[in-house]
Amino acid sequence: MDRLVIKRAILSVTDKSGLADFARNLAGSGVELVSTGGTAKLLAGEGLDVTEVSQVTGFPEIMGGRVKTLHPAIHAGVLADKDNPEHMATLAELCIKPFDLVCVNLYNFAEAAKKELPLHEAVEQIDIGGPTLLRAAAKNFHSMLVVPGPDHYAAIVDEIQKDGAVSLTLRKKLAAETFAAVSAYDAMIASYLAEHEA
C-alpha cells in the first residue's frame, strides 16, 4: 500500500523530548495511543487518552520491565501484512488489533557505559523489547510506520496533516534509518562486552 492511514500507535520511548506534542497531534487525528510504563504516565499526565500495553496483552510488566512488549498481542499487530488477507483473518480470529505506527527509542546504553558501572548493572541498560519492536516495524514498512527518534516527528505530522496518511517513501526511508540505528546500538554493546571482563 502506498498511503497508510494511522489509526493505532504504540509509543515507548526513553528520550521523551517532543513526545507529548507528537502524541497530541496523533490523537487529534483520531489515532489510538498504546504505551508502556513511564511513557504512558507522561501521556496521561498531558491529558491524553492512553491504553497501557498490559491492558492489550492481559499480562503485567514483569522482571523489572524486562518483559512487557514481547507478546503476540503486540507483535502480531505490528508484523501483520495488511495486504495479506490470511494475516488479517488471523488477527480477526485471535481478536488482535493491528498497529500502524511504532515509536520507540532505546535505553541509553552509551550513558550507562560512561558511568563505568559493574558489568551486571550495565547490562540492565541493554534494551531488548525496543530493538525487537523497531526491527519488526521496520521489516513491515509496507504496512507500518516506524519512528526511531524525535527528529522525525515534524515530518510525520506534516504528512498526516496534509494527506491524512503517510507515504510509502517516508515509511521505507525510516525503516532503513531504523535498521542502521539498531545495528549501531548492537555494535556498541558488542564492543563494550568485548572490552569488559565478566
Side-chain angles (χ1 to χ4, degrees):
M1 69 177 64
D2 181 43
R3 294 172 68 259
L4 175 69
V5 176
I6 308 298
K7 299 174 188 169
R8 191 172 189 233
I10 182 163
L11 305 101
S12 180
V13 299
T14 300
D15 178 357
K16 295 177 174 56
S17 57
L19 182 73
D21 285 340
F22 180 56
R24 194 173 289 107
N25 274 294
L26 292 176
S29 298
V31 178
E32 176 190 350
L33 306 177
V34 176
S35 192
T36 59
T39 306
K41 283 178 189 166
L42 180 144
L43 298 177
E46 291 285 330
L48 293 165
D49 188 12
V50 60
T51 302
E52 291 259 8
V53 160
S54 57
Q55 291 174 256
V56 176
T57 62
F59 208 84
E61 292 185 15
I62 58 172
M63 300 178 188
R66 278 189 171 198
V67 181
K68 48 193 171 193
T69 59
L70 298 168
H71 192 281
I74 300 298
H75 282 275
V78 170
L79 281 164
D81 176 353
K82 294 184 178 84
D83 290 327
N84 184 326
E86 287 182 19
H87 285 200
M88 300 313 287
T90 299
L91 290 189
E93 180 187 338
L94 297 173
C95 300
I96 296 173
K97 289 171 69 176
F99 287 98
D100 307 294
L101 182 153
V102 166
C103 177
V104 170
N105 53 63
L106 305 173
Y107 296 167
N108 193 339
F109 185 77
E111 199 58 42
K114 277 185 204 167
K115 293 178 183 171
E116 298 185 8
L117 299 169
L119 185 60
H120 71 279
E121 289 181 33
V123 298
E124 287 305 314
Q125 298 305 310
I126 296 174
D127 203 325
I128 300 301
T132 305
L133 270 175
L134 285 172
R135 286 173 55 83
K139 170 181 175 169
N140 199 25
F141 69 87
H142 279 100
S143 292
M144 289 285 309
L145 173 65
V146 62
V147 188
D151 47 329
H152 302 296
Y153 295 167
I156 292 162
V157 168
D158 237 21
E159 280 209 8
I160 293 172
Q161 289 179 346
K162 282 180 187 168
D163 194 36
V166 287
S167 65
L168 181 58
T169 301
L170 180 62
R171 300 196 314 270
K172 179 175 172 285
K173 175 180 180 285
L174 293 189
E177 289 191 24
T178 296
F179 279 116
V182 172
S183 176
Y185 187 76
D186 285 343
M188 173 179 57
I189 293 165
S191 174
Y192 178 87
L193 292 177
E195 292 167 6
H196 289 76
E197 291 186 14

